[in-house]
Amino acid sequence: MRHALSGAAWPRAWRSPQPKSSYDVIIIGGGGHGLATAYYLAANHGVTNVAVIERAYVGSGNVGRNTTLVRSNYLLAGNTQFFEYSLKLWEGLSHELNYNVMLSQRGQVVLAHDPLQLDGLARRGNIMRLNGIDAELLDRGEVMRTLPYLDYSQQARFPILGGLLQRRAGTVRHDAVAWGYARAASGFGVDILENCEVTGFERDGSRVTGVKTSQGSILAGRTAICVAGHSSVLAAMVGLRLPIESHLLQAFVTEPIKPFVNHVISFGAELFYISQSDKGGLVFGGHIDGFNSYTQRGQFPRVQAVAECAVALMPSISRLRLLRHWGGIQDMTPDGSPFICRTPLEGLYFNGGWCYQGFKATPAVGACFAHTIAHEEEHPLVRHFGLERFRQANGHDEYGLGNWTYKQ
Amino acid sequence: MNASVFERRSALAERVDVGGRDGANGRRGILITETRGSHVAELTAFRDALYGDRLREIALPLLGALPTEVGSALESARITVLRLSVDQYWVATRDASIVAELARAIPVSLGSVTLLTGRIRLTVEGPEVRLLLCKGIALDLHPRRFKVGRLAQTELHHSAVVLLRTGESCFDLYILRSFAASIWDWLIDAALPIGYDVAILDWSG
Amino acid sequence: MSRSPRRLATGGRIDRARPINFSLEGRALQGFAGDTLASALLANGVTLVGRSFKYHRPRGFMSAGVEEPNGLFTLGAAGRTTPNVAGTVTDLYEGLSAVRQNGWPSVDWDLMAVTSWAAPLLAAGFYYKTFMGPRRNSWMFYERFIRRAAGLGRAVHLPDPDRYETQHLFADVLVVGSGPAGLAAAWAAAQAGAHVMLVEQDRELGGSLLSARLDSPEERWRAEMLSALRRMPHVDIRCRMTAIGLYDGNTVALVERHQGRPDPARGEAREIVVTLEAGAIIFATGAFERPLVFGGNDVPGVMLTSAARSYLNRHAVVLGRRVVVATNNDAAWQSAADLSTAGAIVTILDQRQTVNRRCLELANDASVTVKLDATPTRAIGSRAVTAVRFSTSRASREHSLDCDLLCMSGGWAPVVHLTSHTGIKPRYRADIDAYVPGEYAAGHFGAGAMTGTFALSAGIREGERAGRRAAEHAGYVSEATRAQCALPAGEDAACEVGPARLAPPAARGKAFIDFQNDVTTRDIAVAYQEGFTSVEHLKRYTTLGMGTDQGKTSNVNAIHAMAGYRGLDPQTTGTTTFRPPYTPVSIGALAGRHVGQHFRAIRRSPLHQWHVANGAMFIEAGLWQRAWYYGWAGDSASAAYINEMKLVRGAVGICDVSTLGKIDVQGPDAAEFLDRVYVNSFARLPVGKARYGVMLNDNATVLDDGTTARFADTHYFMTTTTAQAAEVASRLEFLLQTAWVDLKVSITLVTDEWAGMSIAGPKAREALQLALPGHDWSNERLPYMGCVDIDVDGVPLRILRVSFSGELAFELYIAADRGCALWEHLLTRAATLGIRPYGLEALAALRIEKGHVAGLELDHRTTLDDLGLGKMAASNKTFVGCALRERPELRAPGRWSLVGLECLESGGTLRGGAILFAPGDEVAGHGRGYITSVTWSPQLGKYIALGLYQGGLVHEGEDVVCAYPLKQEHVRARIVAPAFVDPRGERLRV
Amino acid sequence: MLKITCPGCGIRNYTEFRYAGDASKVRPAHGVRDLAAWHDYLYLFDNPKGPHREYWQHVLGCRRWLIVERDTATNTVQRTLFALDGSGA
Ligand SMILES: Cc1cc2nc3c(=O)[nH]c(=O)nc-3n(C[C@H](O)[C@H](O)[C@H](O)COP(=O)(O)OP(=O)(O)OC[C@H]3O[C@@H](n4cnc5c(N)ncnc54)[C@H](O)[C@@H]3O)c2cc1C
Ligand SMILES: NC(=O)c1ccc[n+]([C@@H]2O[C@H](COP(=O)([O-])OP(=O)(O)OC[C@H]3O[C@@H](n4cnc5c(N)ncnc54)[C@H](O)[C@@H]3O)[C@@H](O)[C@H]2O)c1
Ligand SMILES: Cc1cc2nc3c(=O)[nH]c(=O)nc-3n(C[C@H](O)[C@H](O)[C@H](O)COP(=O)(O)O)c2cc1C
Ligand SMILES: [Zn+2]
């Protein structure tokens, strides 16, 4: 605050060091997950001889291009506790990092348009309540009172029957998360190496001993992959095949307007969700484009389909104008759940497969992955997220997706 | 067959009856016609090159002629034959007996003859027909690219349709019955600024 | 007709004979046809047009085009209220009403301007460092105020009364932009025979030529070119159409705006979004003029030079009497000359030590005072500019010049947006101090100012060349058409550009870089010091370029500033990513006609109209609308379904099942094929019999269930659930075409070909005997699970004796278009039995009583065994999913599997989504299962349910607690076999 | 817009098709009960950034299944054939 009031600049947010020849831990990927992992390694486990290697700039990946929704309305054992842990960490994060990440708990309403959907939400809400997580089931009238500007007319193609409200859900300022963790980790001595791309791994038999990068080889006791949409590319460098396909998800923002939408609203007829940023833009997103791609830019028909959902949900959005749309590459998994685990290779750890939901998980991923790396054993909250889970059963299928990466 | 107590009913009955509307410039640039009482049958041969040829041998005398190119159709007064893929044909006719004859003539070991009672045939025509269709169909329908007699299986309003060009400014659309009312509503909505007339061509008499 | 103080009596491209009335905040004003809102306001002396985002500083128009950062308005009223519209691109229309934005209580007297006293607090990144407050959720408190202050215009929560459309168009060659380069390109491509579409966002063709005087050679050239183009039949010219994005595969998204006020009742669209596929694309999008960066460069009256010229020559508006033009390049000299010729006293300050001889001659001829080596340091004035301070490299003292219009020109930024959309990075060209397209994808060509070719004739020739090459790419090679078009008479204007000098951050007064988002040179310094030095970090930390203008006037200046701090050249720093849309586009336009009921197609059963006419209420089931319940049975679903159930259990009802998926499976290998896809055997199913089948996904979860009947050795008729019909069909086709290519089977989707109806209840047979008396409906002829094709009056009918409800039942299928007649026939002929229709709600309730799985039981997570159907799996054959079904956890005894539940509390309600616990359990955590489907059972007089429970029927007879904390309910229930009615199935077989 | 040339119908927008994943994976023969083989087939992907062989069905057109060779880094399609003609590698 003092710096802010005086108007003077703060010191450099994070150092820009030269790479050392070796580290105790190398984290590949300077997104939210990689930076949070580095921070918690230092803060919780005293491991500070750490490098985060980022091929572009910090936050250039999905942490900097997601729709910033955080929530803990999960159903399956394992998920409820993990995501609630994450939400709790969000609630203290600005103070912990001394950096305002602008957690805005404006509440999320998930809508239902047929009775089965409503029963599904009821089950979800009941599970949340049974696990100490706030949830309210709204009938049509209550949704109308809470969100009076949705389409309740005869013209609505999929009438709104009700919804599930989690008041503690909301949004977080995405860039601030990357910067806040980077700054705090750097403060502990973590080296953040930007514009440094990992191009291969150093190996000693079945042990991974470091990475090859665009700035030379760097050795490490333990190496952790945190590269979101590029997990398979990294895995291929050590000959691993993953239960992951990379898909493109688009996001959208309108011109800034005065407060218009207070909550985060999720349509139930198709995948579509919307909220308003502090800057005033309506931020929204929909379904993945539907075929695997690393292009980081979307197809126009998806833009139109998402706009159609927007108007179907909220007819008054029609006159507002789309300012920008962009894409991010995300890992899609057969069951929609992620991986945080050791790998078949010694010294190599993996976090990925986050589908649509990795941003809200950022603090918990950091804490649990750091634990997993530090203790060489999975944190109890992430035991469901192993790479081998499909050998036993169908994995951890929160939304009943079957086994399709591309239909979610 | 037509005298049955179970008379055929259009999926668009109430809709077509409403009639047309003038467009923004006071004109009606489109005519949409629903053909009633036609019969559409699908002929397919099982996957085997020889079967396809046999099928053609049998069908040819009954149908008079068969389109040689995949994605094209032949029209005569009584009958339209559409070739959807190598060994898949549609026969659209006002004459139910042709379908019956085909079903009799083609052995079940060779392929199948299925009466399609769930297809609605709409004809859209008029000087503005391409303007209307470009609102929903993502194909280049310029006559130098899509000639008279060409057909395409494509998408219209989230559903699969067969589009056949029967004239410079005249197209037939075969649409699925369950989507028909929705597509109709969509079409006349799209035709609103252009102006349209509607008509019924009844072959059942 | 009122005379505006600043409007010239003659000249310009306005039609003085067509005055247009409009209003600003209720104040009646007048302009002319040909005006934009901006030019009309300026003509009326309105120069203060908005307040800035953060500091609420007064602002005037900076530009005359899409790059405008300041002059944003809220247009229209009620449902037509549209915020954030740039006045510079709004064509004036009769009755237009505009409101300026972001001032409170008004833009003229903005109390929020106090925030500028707290300016130090608002430096880049201030949010991140403050507002955390003492408590964890303090931000939520501050945020309320920040949100209210943020945002530009105010939108309304009313539906938009206007109409939009989408279209698909095609062209051999698309030309974007109708400046000299674009016109020449379109002409040349059309000469070669290509079908050309020429799009221009402006209301008129000509681009920068529209800013030339009407008596100029440029204007004569434009007119001749236009008439040449209009004579070419295959040139499609569209004004008011903006290319908003370039996508994969030569796809360009465009938006066309209606002129004036469209009438939705007559079908007129306000905007049309076009997806255009082009054989080749020519980008002739021109260049934006860059502002100069000096203190107070945002004071109203400071404006881009090209804008001042455009207002003068295009709209006949003179914006100042004492004008200073500050520049680093030649283009501004023409504007200075034009302003002077129009009567202003003009001084030009050029940063360069020497300039082109032609510039000096131009100035001399037009009596413009020239000062070289002169860099503006500060504009003086608060609500209007009154003077400018400038310095030279020779003297340390600042000079001052009074002025009421200060024009600035800091060089040119080619419009490289579209070519960058597909990921091509722009390249920096030091000679013109600008970014140009890094490369072109195959079939893409650039021409004119957008490639850095600023000289007029060279741009025209480049356009011509691009036009020919594009036509060639699209397949039009023609040797005969090498003819060149004429060039404008006279010598081209000079067009050299010097380097832009930025005011140092220490200079006095705020020097703005991003005007809309209030990013100053100091903010860039802060970002630099704090390490936000990459252009992407700079953007995100300062919000630079993130406003409605997307940094069209600010990005290059910002990059230069940061490159300067870092000691890098602009090629190394690079630009931020360009993203669509090029200019903001209405969300309604993107949605087009897919709004309201047209949002997604509605599928209707062949009996739909009957249901409508006979009091049915409908419910969504995927795209289908299904009859939910009927008015005869009650006013609400909860009342009606019970009466409908009673009817089926007590007499006979009829239900529309046409939405079931239907697939014809034919061919010599049909039996083998079905044996592979179903868990149970169909090869041994006799002709004339039907069987319930279940198919699995490869991962052993249940994909679908349904009845399949055999009508011949090689012919089966498969039904699927409504929900999975499309999925099943695709799956079957997949297997046949990729894995089992040797099987001779053909699959035809016949869902739409058949109307289906189920006649169910103890009197079902009687009903059929009454309705279709000529046929044998006896149990012997058509036993349970029998099937037969019959002929009624020459019409084929397909009968399956299957039951979902548990009662004696027959499913009748008939050609879809005859369905309604059959349905009515049955109802009339069997009326004496009291037959009536029943809907989906009753159907679902009946099946719960019977214990059939559906809906939430088939949720892609449950396996065959979970649903109690494990014994259906044939052991003597293999089927899809059988391998992975053997995985250990899928076979574990403790899996949640299907149970029935009976409510034990009179007056208690079972609810779907309740969580199940054993009586001794702590009611917390994830429970042992949950309720999937519930109904009131008139038969049993209580609520019954299906659910999944850990261990399943092992616990039969035990009590459970159904917890529903959302309503604070705990209800006791008992686990029972999931067959509440006629468990032995006797009623089915009568 | 991604365009796919259906060998039967010609060049179309990708929206007429449905994507169905990696076509280079070999489905274990019907009846094979090898858990590991099915696991790898169903759950593991090369997911390359570069050339990719994949299944699409022309679901709103001729309904045929296709094999499309496309570069996932650029979305450019190199080749399309009917799955029936391209089974195997
Ligand atoms: C459009 C969109 C919207 C989303 N919305 C939400 C939402 O509302 N809520 C939610 O919870 N989740 C959301 N997600 C998902 C969420 O953003 C991601 O799951 C999450 O950000 C992934 O973790 P990350 O932050 O570490 O990833 P990233 O920020 O992507 O970090 C990975 C980093 O690895 C780097 N990298 C890759 N390869 C290499 C290499 N070879 N060498 C070095 N570095 C490399 C990348 O440059 C990148 O910076 C969304 C995703 C997208 C794309
Ligand atoms: N002397 C100089 O230094 C200098 C600098 C720049 C320009 N110029 C002059 O400007 C002219 C350049 O000609 P030009 O043809 O290259 O450019 P132009 O500016 O004359 O025309 C570009 C046109 O493209 C349109 N446009 C841009 N993006 C569009 C989009 N996405 N969709 C639809 N329309 C779009 C603009 O509205 C404009 O009309 C020449 O006369 C040149 O002399 C001179
Ligand atoms: C939550 C959120 C809000 C955003 N708001 C804006 C905005 O108001 N203006 C803007 O220009 N971009 C906005 N963006 C988009 C960014 O400019 C940028 O497109 C995005 O971070 C992806 O980066 P890229 O386009 O550089 O690939 C926003 C992004 C996010 C994630
Ligand atoms: Zn096809």
Side-chain angles (χ1 to χ4, degrees), chain C residues 247-249 251 275 277 676 698-699 727 729-730 733-735 737-741 877-879 882-884 887, chain D residues 1-3 13 18 27 30-33 35 38-39 41-43 55 57 59 63-65 74-75 83-84 87:
Chain C
Y247 296 84
D248 286 344
T251 302
T275 307
E277 312 290 342
R676 293 188 191 185
D698 283 330
N699 74 354
E727 190 57 47
S730 275
E733 289 161 331
F734 178 81
L735 291 167
Q737 292 178 38
T738 69
W740 306 336
V741 297
K877 63 162 193 143
T878 49
F879 49 87
C882 69
L884 289 178
R887 282 174 296 170
Chain D
M1 171 126 44
L2 175 62
K3 299 266 181 183
N13 290 350
R18 60 183 266 164
R27 184 182 172 90
H30 186 71
V32 167
R33 290 201 184 246
L35 278 189
W38 279 100
H39 170 272
Y41 164 69
L42 199 57
Y43 292 110
Y55 285 122
Q57 184 187 16
V59 67
R63 294 197 66 88
R64 298 284 296 268
W65 279 92
T74 60
N75 284 345
L84 269 175
S87 35

Side-chain angles (χ1 to χ4, degrees), chain B residues 15-200:
Chain B
R15 288 177 161 78
V16 182
D17 296 347
V18 172
R21 267 188 76 159
D22 289 348
N25 58 11
R27 285 198 290 271
R28 299 186 173 194
I30 297 283
L31 172 64
I32 313 179
T33 308
E34 186 202 1
T35 301
R36 292 187 186 163
S38 78
H39 303 270
V40 183
E42 176 171 289
L43 315 188
T44 46
F46 295 127
R47 200 161 60 214
D48 190 317
L50 298 175
Y51 287 19
D53 291 340
R54 272 293 291 146
L55 183 91
R56 276 180 283 277
E57 263 173 53
I58 299 171
L60 189 61
L62 295 172
L63 298 174
L66 290 173
T68 47
E69 254 183 83
V70 173
S72 69
L74 283 180
E75 240 189 330
S76 64
R78 280 167 62 239
I79 190 161
T80 307
V81 185
L82 300 85
R83 188 168 189 186
L84 299 179
S85 54
V86 179
D87 294 335
Q88 182 194 14
Y89 297 84
W90 277 9
V91 177
T93 173
R94 52 191 304 175
D95 188 348
S97 64
I98 292 181
V99 178
E101 273 175 59
L102 282 168
R104 264 198 303 280
I106 293 174
V108 290
S109 55
L110 189 68
S112 61
V113 179
T114 316
L115 186 65
L116 303 179
T117 59
R119 305 284 162 154
I120 310 299
R121 173 157 151 185
L122 296 180
T123 304
V124 285
E125 60 196 303
E128 303 283 9
V129 68
R130 273 172 58 208
L131 173 60
L132 174 69
L133 291 177
C134 87
K135 299 181 184 191
I137 286 186
L139 295 178
D140 187 352
L141 298 179
H142 194 283
R144 77 208 151 103
R145 294 278 145 77
F146 197 87
K147 301 200 160 53
V148 174
R150 293 269 347 141
L151 69 86
Q153 302 180 68
T154 187
E155 172 186 6
L156 175 62
H157 197 38
H158 312 287
S159 85
V161 300
V162 174
L163 175 76
L164 168 63
R165 182 174 220 143
T166 56
E168 179 83 8
S169 52
C170 184
F171 294 82
D172 282 351
L173 273 171
Y174 292 88
I175 60 183
L176 285 165
R177 183 176 177 110
S178 62
F179 286 96
S182 195
I183 290 182
W184 176 271
D185 293 346
W186 186 88
L187 265 179
I188 61 161
D189 183 50
L192 184 61
I194 305 169
Y196 60 92
D197 261 317
V198 300
I200 297 166

Side-chain angles (χ1 to χ4, degrees), chain A residues 10 13 58 80 95 100 104 106 157 173 256 270 276 278 308 318-319 321-322 325 390 393-394 397-398, chain C residues 82 84 128 133 143 147 153 157 160 162 247-248 530 537 577 585 588 600-601 620 727 861 887 913 925-926:
Chain A
W10 275 13
V58 156
T80 28
H95 283 84
N100 189 355
S104 177
R106 23 204 355 96
R157 173 69 180 82
R173 170 86 178 103
E270 282 177 31
Q276 187 165 14
D278 281 333
E308 290 158 16
S318 166
R319 268 191 126 77
R321 297 188 300 171
L322 179 68
H325 75 92
F390 302 107
N394 288 321
D397 189 356
E398 173 80 20
Chain C
T82 316
N84 301 345
Y128 307 112
E143 191 190 36
R147 282 193 170 232
H157 283 133
D160 183 351
D162 278 323
Y247 296 84
D248 286 344
E530 297 188 5
H537 277 151
T577 308
V585 52
R600 296 292 176 253
E620 314 302 321
E727 190 57 47
R861 284 177 278 218
R887 282 174 296 170
H926 295 80

Side-chain angles (χ1 to χ4, degrees), chain A residues 1 4-5 7 9-14 57-58 65 75-77 80-81 88 91-92 94-95 98-100 102-106 115-116 119 122-123 125-127 129-131 135-137 149 154-159 173 175-176 179 194 254-260 267 270 276-279 284 296-300 304-305 307-309 311-312 315-327 390-394 397-400 402-404 407, chain C residues 53 79-85 102 120-121 127-136 139-140 143 147-158 160 162 164 166 247-248 253 270 273 275 421-422 517 522 529-532 536-537 539-541 546-548 550 577 579-581 584-588 590-591 594-597 599-602 619-620 622-623 699 701 727 731 856 859-861 887-889 912-913 915 917 923-926 930 964-966 968:
Chain A
M1 190 72 180
L5 275 182
W10 275 13
R12 259 192 100 85
W14 58 90
Y57 60 96
V58 156
R65 55 187 70 244
L75 184 66
L76 297 188
T80 28
Q81 298 96 326
K88 292 243 166 68
E91 286 170 334
S94 293
H95 283 84
N98 185 28
Y99 204 79
N100 189 355
M102 303 179 208
L103 168 68
S104 177
Q105 294 178 295
R106 23 204 355 96
L116 293 192
D119 281 358
R123 177 183 171 209
N126 282 328
I127 288 286
R129 293 280 280 264
L130 290 168
N131 287 277
E136 291 159 55
L137 194 66
Y149 36 78
Q154 286 292 315
Q155 285 306 303
R157 173 69 180 82
F158 297 100
R173 170 86 178 103
D175 290 326
W179 302 339
E194 295 180 80
T254 68
E255 296 173 333
I257 46 168
K258 295 292 177 198
F260 192 66
F267 197 27
E270 282 177 31
Q276 187 165 14
S277 78
D278 281 333
K279 197 167 169 299
F284 52 95
Q296 220 178 71
R297 58 173 190 273
Q299 301 292 321
F300 191 60
Q304 294 181 297
E308 290 158 16
C309 288
V311 179
S316 56
I317 203 172
S318 166
R319 268 191 126 77
L320 300 183
R321 297 188 300 171
L322 179 68
L323 177 61
R324 189 174 172 99
H325 75 92
W326 61 95
F390 302 107
R391 295 192 189 279
Q392 272 77 49
N394 288 321
D397 189 356
E398 173 80 20
Y399 295 102
N403 53 321
W404 314 109
K407 278 199 265 169
Chain C
F53 194 75
R80 289 198 165 82
T81 306
T82 316
N84 301 345
V85 184
N102 212 28
L121 187 65
Y127 289 106
Y128 307 112
K129 306 168 187 169
T130 52
F131 299 124
M132 281 174 276
R135 292 204 329 272
R136 279 178 144 215
W139 166 247
M140 289 295 289
E143 191 190 36
R147 282 193 170 232
R148 259 182 245 163
L152 291 169
R154 191 175 300 283
V156 295
H157 283 133
L158 292 170
D160 183 351
D162 278 323
Y164 303 85
T166 53
Y247 296 84
D248 286 344
R270 176 170 172 250
V273 163
T275 307
H421 283 169
T422 51
N517 280 353
R522 222 182 57 83
Q529 282 172 45
E530 297 188 5
F532 294 92
E536 298 288 6
H537 277 151
K539 158 183 158 174
R540 288 160 176 79
Y541 199 57
M546 297 179 81
T548 61
Q550 289 285 287
T577 308
R579 295 283 190 184
V585 52
S586 306
I587 293 172
L590 293 166
H594 294 121
V595 295
Q597 288 285 298
F599 167 52
R600 296 292 176 253
I602 300 174
I619 186 125
E620 314 302 321
L623 291 183
N699 74 354
T701 54
E727 190 57 47
R731 243 3 247 168
L856 289 181
D859 73 345
H860 289 285
R861 284 177 278 218
R887 282 174 296 170
E889 278 179 24
I915 310 301
F917 291 88
V923 179
H926 295 80
Y930 67 102
Y964 201 96
L966 288 168
Q968 264 94 36

Side-chain angles (χ1 to χ4, degrees), chain A residues 31-33 54-55 62-63 66-67 69 198 356-360:
Chain A
H33 292 191
E54 166 54 50
R55 75 174 164 174
N62 292 347
V63 70
N66 77 90
T67 42
L69 166 56
V198 171
Y356 294 90
Q357 51 183 353
F359 181 67
K360 64 183 67 64

